Amino acid sequence: MAFSLPSVVYTPQLLQAVDFEVERLRAWMSDSAIKHKVGTTPAPEPSHSPETQLVLDSWLAGKAMNVTVLTELISQLRALKPVTVYVTLAALPGETLRLHLVQWFRTNCREDVLINFSADRTIGGGIIIRTPNRIFDYSFKQRLVDGRLKLPEIIRHVG
């Protein structure tokens, strides 16, 4: 089964946290089955994040959760070789914009792209995108630097 990450899992740290929580859940299920067979009380089910729950819901899609299914999910998560893109904006994006940007990158670039967002108010606006091998600077600051020779020419012809 091919696996695609939900939009809420968009950073390497979130992917790592989901992997950790699924592994912990798998270990708990395995331990609980053993404890049930020997007649002892299993520990309570470990809690997990909403992101992990979305990944589980997506993976299970109506199937029963068991150790084998969770092991397969862990294998799929670890087999992902995502590319991380660094996006800098003048301010950190809200949830709606962040999810929109993640979805755009996953639709237009790669399904498994992960994005680290950062803020730098000195860029004035726009966006800077850093991939593993290129930087795309669409900031207002860069536009002003690029146009510094054009501005005096434009002003000379005014009036």
Side-chain angles (χ1 to χ4, degrees):
M1 172 190 270
F3 182 70
S4 59
L5 292 170
S7 294
V8 295
V9 181
Y10 61 90
T11 67
Q13 296 81 7
L14 283 169
L15 180 58
Q16 186 177 20
V18 166
D19 180 88
F20 174 80
E21 290 178 348
V22 172
E23 175 61 40
R24 190 173 61 173
L25 183 60
R26 188 208 55 78
W28 172 82
M29 286 191 90
S30 178
D31 291 347
S32 293
I34 294 168
K35 287 182 179 183
H36 190 268
K37 283 183 181 180
V38 297
T40 61
T41 306
E45 182 177 341
S47 62
H48 47 269
S49 67
E51 292 85 5
T52 299
Q53 188 61 52
L54 282 171
V55 169
L56 287 169
D57 292 344
S58 172
W59 180 255
L60 295 172
K63 295 184 291 189
M65 184 169 27
N66 59 47
V67 173
T68 304
V69 170
L70 291 178
T71 302
E72 291 170 6
L73 173 57
I74 291 166
S75 295
Q76 285 289 318
L77 290 172
R78 292 179 181 170
L80 292 174
K81 301 295 181 210
V83 170
T84 302
V85 173
Y86 298 86
V87 174
T88 303
L89 301 161
L92 287 175
E95 182 179 354
T96 304
L97 178 58
R98 184 178 63 241
L99 292 177
H100 182 75
L101 287 169
V102 169
Q103 195 58 45
W104 185 89
F105 274 97
R106 288 191 178 163
T107 300
N108 294 295
C109 300
R110 287 177 57 138
E111 278 185 7
D112 62 347
V113 71
L114 299 176
I115 303 174
N116 273 333
F117 290 98
S118 63
D120 180 0
R121 60 186 178 162
T122 65
I123 69 171
I127 190 169
I128 300 172
I129 301 166
R130 186 169 53 94
T131 67
N133 55 2
R134 288 197 62 190
I135 296 175
F136 301 92
D137 190 342
Y138 302 108
S139 66
F140 290 165
K141 180 179 181 180
Q142 187 61 41
R143 294 294 178 222
L144 289 173
V145 168
D146 291 345
R148 72 180 177 275
L149 298 176
K150 294 177 189 173
L151 187 59
E153 184 67 29
I154 292 169
I155 293 174
R156 274 193 290 272
H157 290 93
V158 172

